[in-house]
Amino acid sequence: MDKIKSVAVVGGTHGNELTGIHLIKKWEKQPELINRSTFNTNILFSNPKAFEKRCRYIDIDLNRQFKTTGLNNPDLINYEQSRAKAINSQLGPKGDAKTDFIIDLHNTTSNMGPCLLLLGKNEFYRKMGAYVKHRMPHAVIIIQDFAAPEDYAFLISIAKYGVTIEMGSQPHGVLRQDILTYMEEMTGYILDYIEHVNNNTMPDLPSDYEAFYYTETIKIPVDDKGNRIGVVHKEVEGKDFQPLSPGDPIVSLFDGGELGWQGDYTAYPFFVNEAAYYEENIAMALSKKITVEI
Amino acid sequence: MDKIKSVAVVGGTHGNELTGIHLIKKWEKQPELINRSTFNTNILFSNPKAFEKRCRYIDIDLNRQFKTTGLNNPDLINYEQSRAKAINSQLGPKGDAKTDFIIDLHNTTSNMGPCLLLLGKNEFYRKMGAYVKHRMPHAVIIIQDFAAPEDYAFLISIAKYGVTIEMGSQPHGVLRQDILTYMEEMTGYILDYIEHVNNNTMPDLPSDYEAFYYTETIKIPVDDKGNRIGVVHKEVEGKDFQPLSPGDPIVSLFDGGELGWQGDYTAYPFFVNEAAYYEENIAMALSKKITVEI
């Protein structure tokens, strides 16, 4: 593959996820921490206005505004839709971007630990997961590979390659020391990995590793007025990446009943009861545990 | 003491603390769950506009607007200041209230478990703590007794008696099944206790019990621009109500140093790294462990 020449590290895509915001402010003052010899590293604070308001967004979720059709639609004019176009102009444009690689820094209220979400499964991504997992064995590697590039709505999709770092559990609006340490560590490993790719100096990597492959999203059912009729079951609460067998309870209904997992495979939930997904009534995402061979 | 004739159960004083909001909506449909024979129980959804916006408040923290001077100051006109006057008119007026007892339902992002905060330590409150603790041994009883009635800024201070239920850890904007169960259970015990007081049918209570007495608040230091220069130390994170000895680390500084607890007593922290206290740079509240004798 071509060398990676331009990297962007992005924080504050959601204004109440404080770890990335703290780190980009730190790195603005100490750029040597994220600079490497073979590429430029740029920093972007993507939604400072939402941060000022201590909320996820002003008008709409910024990290869902980067589909090619949306970026090209001049009628989408609210604050985050406008920010998306501005960021696409700054780091993109999507499909022919001046930025080769984006790292977007996020927090989750779910008990997911330190997660690296790869937006694809080609050799570059697979080896990145191996490199990070080898140095940070408690990290969780997640593969998202469910759309064509133009149809991804994430900020990272405007570059040739991109990853999301998600770390929790951390309530929105809180800064936890442990998560701050993990995020700085993981970001450093990713930048080191790219440096090795560019220099052709990759150290030995394990031949395979455990990862999770996104499969689907589970919603809380609602009544005819749109109100939720249940809550994430206490047996699943906090148990991200622990196995759910078909029939295991996933939703407790307010009328006393419960709903079980209806699929035909052993699922590994994540984003369990994430605060930001309430407006869409999402209970959790599901994945399959896989072995990634590099 | 006089009988309690009028009780108000309040939810949604902070719009992103969902457990109380869910419960008052439930009880509006099933009032028999909170009615008792010797008093009227009213329900109040105190800040529905903040709930619609998925935030703690619109203009200012509603639960700090109930000092007598503020209620009597016609120049305080923002949304929550106006709500406070309206609620004082509805349930109060403070100092001569038509409501004898208020229960205000809250959540915290801190790992506090199910907590009952008593706004005083007279026999009525002490026995209430005993009644609840006896039936719910994992409940934590906290005594707040730091001001004259007119100087308390809490909503509950407009009635003759009042308690706050605080339950966590629950990220703001999330509903957890376990916390929902605990809050409904504790509210029921408090109403049962008042019924026993009114009927003079109090069952035997333990002669004493463990509780925590609020002492002071610890802040994160800031630089000359007002920016925090550290974070709650990872050794204290999540350890509400676990002992801190003088010298134990409480703040980790971004420059690599740390600050220890400077007091001369064994402190029991709570509200450790609470999201809502970021704007005031509060790291945690402290308490002393005490034995309450009834």
Side-chain angles (χ1 to χ4, degrees):
Chain A
M1 62 180 278
D2 295 337
K3 287 189 179 181
I4 302 283
K5 292 177 182 164
S6 174
V7 171
V9 182
V10 180
T13 298
H14 296 132
N16 55 9
E17 299 178 10
L18 299 190
T19 311
I21 295 169
H22 176 83
L23 286 174
I24 60 171
K25 288 182 174 182
K26 172 178 178 174
W27 294 328
E28 275 174 355
K29 291 180 195 158
Q30 298 176 272
E32 67 277 12
L33 295 173
I34 53 168
N35 284 341
R36 299 293 184 273
S37 68
T38 61
F39 54 88
N40 289 320
T41 309
N42 298 301
I43 291 170
L44 176 69
F45 189 177
S46 45
N47 199 342
K49 197 167 161 183
F51 171 66
E52 283 167 25
K53 295 274 185 185
R54 303 170 184 279
C55 59
R56 183 173 176 89
Y57 56 76
I58 303 297
D59 291 322
I60 197 169
D61 189 336
L62 176 59
N63 205 30
R64 300 292 182 275
Q65 305 310 317
F66 292 90
K67 287 187 183 181
T68 301
T69 51
L71 293 170
N72 291 337
N73 181 348
D75 295 332
L76 302 182
I77 59 165
N78 74 24
Y79 181 68
E80 278 79 11
Q81 289 161 346
S82 303
R83 279 299 297 151
K85 291 174 171 68
I87 292 166
N88 188 48
S89 166
Q90 187 177 347
L91 303 182
K94 183 166 176 169
D96 185 27
K98 61 182 80 67
T99 306
D100 298 315
F101 187 84
I102 298 178
I103 306 174
D104 197 13
L105 305 175
H106 288 258
N107 292 118
T108 172
T109 67
S110 305
N111 189 26
M112 286 167 56
C115 295
L116 173 62
L117 287 84
L118 307 171
L119 202 59
K121 56 183 179 182
N122 67 23
E123 185 181 351
F124 174 72
Y125 283 124
R126 293 198 310 275
K127 286 188 174 176
M128 182 187 297
Y131 187 91
V132 170
K133 182 90 180 160
H134 189 50
R135 281 152 187 78
M136 217 173 157
H138 59 299
V140 178
I141 313 297
I142 302 170
I143 297 175
Q144 294 177 303
D145 181 41
F146 57 86
E150 62 272 22
D151 292 329
Y152 282 119
F154 306 132
L155 188 152
I156 56 172
S157 71
I158 61 180
K160 288 192 193 72
Y161 303 99
V163 296
T164 305
I165 294 181
E166 278 283 1
M167 296 204 176
S169 65
Q170 181 171 279
H172 297 321
V174 164
L175 199 60
R176 284 181 62 118
Q177 188 188 4
D178 52 356
I179 287 180
L180 202 50
T181 305
Y182 292 152
M183 191 175 281
E184 184 156 24
E185 195 181 349
M186 187 183 281
T187 305
Y189 290 141
I190 294 168
L191 296 170
D192 292 344
Y193 168 79
I194 296 171
E195 181 87 338
H196 282 304
V197 169
N198 283 347
N199 281 328
N200 207 13
T201 55
M202 194 63 63
D204 286 342
L205 296 174
S207 59
D208 60 50
Y209 61 95
E210 174 192 283
F212 295 88
Y213 192 88
Y214 167 79
T215 51
E216 60 189 297
T217 297
I218 298 288
K219 292 203 171 191
I220 302 270
V222 297
D223 63 18
D224 52 11
K225 289 175 185 160
N227 295 314
R228 295 169 160 230
I229 60 169
V231 62
V232 168
H233 199 286
K234 63 186 177 186
E235 295 292 320
V236 194
E237 183 74 62
K239 294 187 180 163
D240 300 74
F241 304 114
Q242 294 186 35
L244 271 181
S245 299
D248 283 352
I250 53 174
V251 171
S252 173
L253 298 171
F254 296 136
D255 70 6
E258 60 183 39
L259 301 178
W261 161 228
Q262 298 292 311
D264 60 0
Y265 62 94
T266 299
Y268 292 79
F270 62 111
F271 286 122
V272 174
N273 213 0
E274 158 63 44
Y277 296 164
Y278 264 59
E279 59 192 30
E280 294 183 84
N281 296 313
I282 293 174
M284 64 196 75
L286 296 181
S287 65
K288 288 183 178 178
K289 186 151 82 170
I290 60 172
T291 299
V292 175
E293 296 181 1
I294 67 168
Chain B
M1 63 179 277
D2 294 337
K3 287 190 178 181
I4 302 283
K5 292 178 183 163
S6 173
V7 171
V9 182
V10 180
T13 298
H14 296 132
N16 56 9
E17 300 178 8
L18 300 190
T19 311
I21 295 169
H22 176 82
L23 286 175
I24 60 169
K25 288 182 174 181
K26 173 177 177 174
W27 293 329
E28 274 174 355
K29 291 180 194 157
Q30 298 176 271
E32 67 277 12
L33 295 173
I34 53 169
N35 284 342
R36 298 293 184 273
S37 68
T38 62
F39 54 87
N40 289 319
T41 308
N42 298 301
I43 290 169
L44 177 70
F45 189 0
S46 45
N47 200 341
K49 196 167 160 182
F51 170 66
E52 283 167 26
K53 295 275 186 186
R54 302 170 185 278
C55 59
R56 182 173 176 88
Y57 56 75
I58 303 296
D59 291 322
I60 197 169
D61 190 335
L62 175 59
N63 205 30
R64 300 292 182 276
Q65 305 310 315
F66 291 90
K67 288 187 184 181
T68 300
T69 52
L71 292 171
N72 292 337
N73 182 346
D75 295 334
L76 302 182
I77 58 165
N78 74 23
Y79 181 68
E80 278 80 10
Q81 289 161 346
S82 303
R83 277 300 296 151
K85 291 174 171 68
I87 291 166
N88 188 49
S89 165
Q90 187 177 346
L91 302 183
K94 182 165 175 168
D96 184 27
K98 61 180 82 64
T99 306
D100 298 315
F101 187 84
I102 298 177
I103 306 173
D104 198 12
L105 304 175
H106 287 258
N107 292 118
T108 172
T109 67
S110 304
N111 189 26
M112 287 167 56
C115 295
L116 173 62
L117 287 85
L118 307 172
L119 200 60
K121 56 181 178 183
N122 66 22
E123 186 182 350
F124 173 73
Y125 283 124
R126 293 197 310 275
K127 286 188 173 174
M128 183 187 297
Y131 187 92
V132 170
K133 181 90 178 159
H134 189 51
R135 280 150 187 79
M136 216 173 156
H138 58 298
V140 178
I141 313 296
I142 302 170
I143 296 175
Q144 294 176 304
D145 181 42
F146 57 84
E150 62 271 22
D151 293 330
Y152 282 118
F154 306 131
L155 187 152
I156 57 171
S157 72
I158 61 180
K160 289 191 194 72
Y161 302 99
V163 296
T164 305
I165 293 180
E166 277 284 0
M167 295 204 177
S169 64
Q170 181 171 277
H172 296 321
V174 164
L175 198 60
R176 285 181 61 117
Q177 187 189 3
D178 52 356
I179 288 179
L180 202 50
T181 304
Y182 292 152
M183 191 177 282
E184 184 157 23
E185 194 181 351
M186 186 182 281
T187 305
Y189 289 141
I190 294 167
L191 297 171
D192 292 344
Y193 169 79
I194 296 172
E195 181 86 339
H196 282 305
V197 169
N198 283 348
N199 281 327
N200 206 15
T201 56
M202 193 64 63
D204 286 342
L205 296 174
S207 59
D208 60 50
Y209 59 97
E210 175 192 283
F212 296 88
Y213 192 89
Y214 167 79
T215 51
E216 60 189 296
T217 297
I218 298 287
K219 291 201 172 193
I220 301 271
V222 297
D223 64 18
D224 53 11
K225 289 175 185 160
N227 295 315
R228 294 171 160 229
I229 60 169
V231 64
V232 168
H233 199 286
K234 63 185 176 186
E235 294 293 321
V236 194
E237 183 74 63
K239 295 188 179 163
D240 300 74
F241 304 113
Q242 294 186 34
L244 272 180
S245 298
D248 282 351
I250 52 175
V251 171
S252 174
L253 298 171
F254 296 136
D255 70 5
E258 61 184 36
L259 302 178
W261 160 228
Q262 297 292 310
D264 60 0
Y265 61 93
T266 298
Y268 292 79
F270 63 111
F271 286 122
V272 174
N273 213 0
E274 158 62 44
Y277 297 164
Y278 264 59
E279 58 192 29
E280 294 182 85
N281 295 312
I282 292 173
M284 65 196 75
L286 296 181
S287 65
K288 290 184 178 177
K289 184 150 82 171
I290 59 172
T291 299
V292 174
E293 296 180 1
I294 67 169

